Amino acid sequence: MGAKGKIALGVVVSVVVIGAVSANAGDDGDSGSGGKGKDSAASAERGSGTKSGTKSGADTKKDAKAGKAEKKAAFQGDGDFEVGTDVKPGTYRTTGNTDSLCYWERAKDASGEMDSILANDNVSGTSYVTIPAGDKLFKSSGCKDWEAVDAKATGTPAALVKGDGGMHRVGVDIAPGTYRSTGNTDDLCYWERTKDASHSLESILANNNVSGTAVVTVAAGDAYFKTTGCKDWKKTG
């Protein structure tokens, strides 16, 4: 798409806060559309083998643990992928991206025009994206490879998360609770609570641009917590 493809249309975060103050604004498999205009801007957000021979029990356990942690990429972080042919509908995750150089886009056709974009984002850290069956094309540029997400996956939720870490899955990556981020300047810190990974306006439960100290309660019923440009978040309650 060239330079214009780097414009994220998902959410106007520089001036709009949605949720508790939505009056001022004017799960897996879920679909949705992002912003409708070209000028909207979202938050500034890639085998294993076996060796013959005898191994000790400790080595065998270690290998088994490493194999369990290893995840196979579903598709690469660069390219255009036709939904249903190159990539199956579902929820995917890319992690380890830096400096918002990763760009992804859900599109309703392959025209390359602004009106074809359903949702998109520039990513720093991690991003989750649900690609519905109704989408036609998924574009990814400068991203680490995408992994399929198991809806029933479990993890050890953290009580301290990076303030520029991108999206955190509630109950898997981040524990529910109240979090505090201090030392933010110039409204560059943006956070968002969402009910799914469609990146539509409708998926946002609440969001804010913060200068100074930010406090937010991530509810157990939330699907994801997104953070970019913030100081680290520490659980306080």
Side-chain angles (χ1 to χ4, degrees):
M1 287 185 60
K4 69 178 183 179
K6 300 304 179 182
I7 300 174
L9 305 181
V11 187
V12 182
V13 300
S14 59
V15 295
V16 177
V17 176
I18 302 171
V21 291
S22 58
N24 295 328
D27 311 309
D28 297 346
D30 288 345
S31 63
S33 60
K36 300 299 183 182
K38 181 177 178 180
D39 295 330
S40 298
S43 57
E45 351 195 9
R46 202 177 230 309
S48 63
T50 57
K51 295 177 68 177
S52 60
T54 302
K55 294 186 176 183
S56 67
D59 289 338
T60 301
K61 290 181 180 179
K62 183 184 296 183
D63 290 349
K65 184 176 181 180
K68 184 178 180 180
E70 182 179 349
K71 294 183 179 180
K72 184 178 180 180
F75 57 97
Q76 295 180 342
D78 286 294
D80 295 350
F81 306 92
E82 291 188 82
V83 180
T85 301
D86 303 318
V87 57
K88 296 179 181 179
T91 299
Y92 297 88
R93 174 180 183 262
T94 179
T95 191
N97 302 288
T98 59
D99 301 326
S100 298
L101 297 180
C102 164
Y103 172 79
W104 64 259
E105 177 183 308
R106 290 174 45 219
K108 62 183 179 181
D109 57 46
S111 68
E113 298 177 358
M114 288 291 102
D115 288 345
S116 72
I117 299 176
L118 296 170
N120 64 357
D121 201 6
N122 291 294
V123 179
S124 179
T126 296
S127 184
Y128 289 85
V129 182
T130 295
I131 304 174
D135 288 7
K136 298 301 181 182
L137 201 67
F138 183 79
K139 298 185 177 184
S140 179
S141 176
C143 302
K144 300 294 184 180
D145 289 351
W146 294 84
E147 304 165 346
V149 174
D150 183 352
K152 298 181 179 180
T154 60
T156 303
L160 177 68
V161 296
K162 294 290 186 180
D164 205 33
M167 290 180 73
H168 304 281
R169 190 174 175 184
V170 179
V172 177
D173 304 323
I174 183 175
T178 298
Y179 289 80
R180 179 183 178 93
S181 173
T182 61
N184 301 292
T185 59
D186 301 326
D187 291 332
L188 297 179
C189 167
Y190 172 78
W191 64 259
E192 178 180 299
R193 294 170 48 225
T194 71
K195 62 182 180 182
D196 56 43
S198 70
H199 294 264
S200 67
L201 287 174
E202 293 78 10
S203 75
I204 300 176
L205 296 169
N207 66 353
N208 203 4
N209 292 291
V210 180
S211 180
T213 298
V215 178
V216 58
T217 297
V218 179
D222 293 354
Y224 299 93
F225 177 69
K226 182 177 181 180
T227 171
T228 179
C230 303
K231 299 297 182 180
D232 293 352
W233 294 88
K234 182 177 181 180
K235 190 172 182 291
T236 60

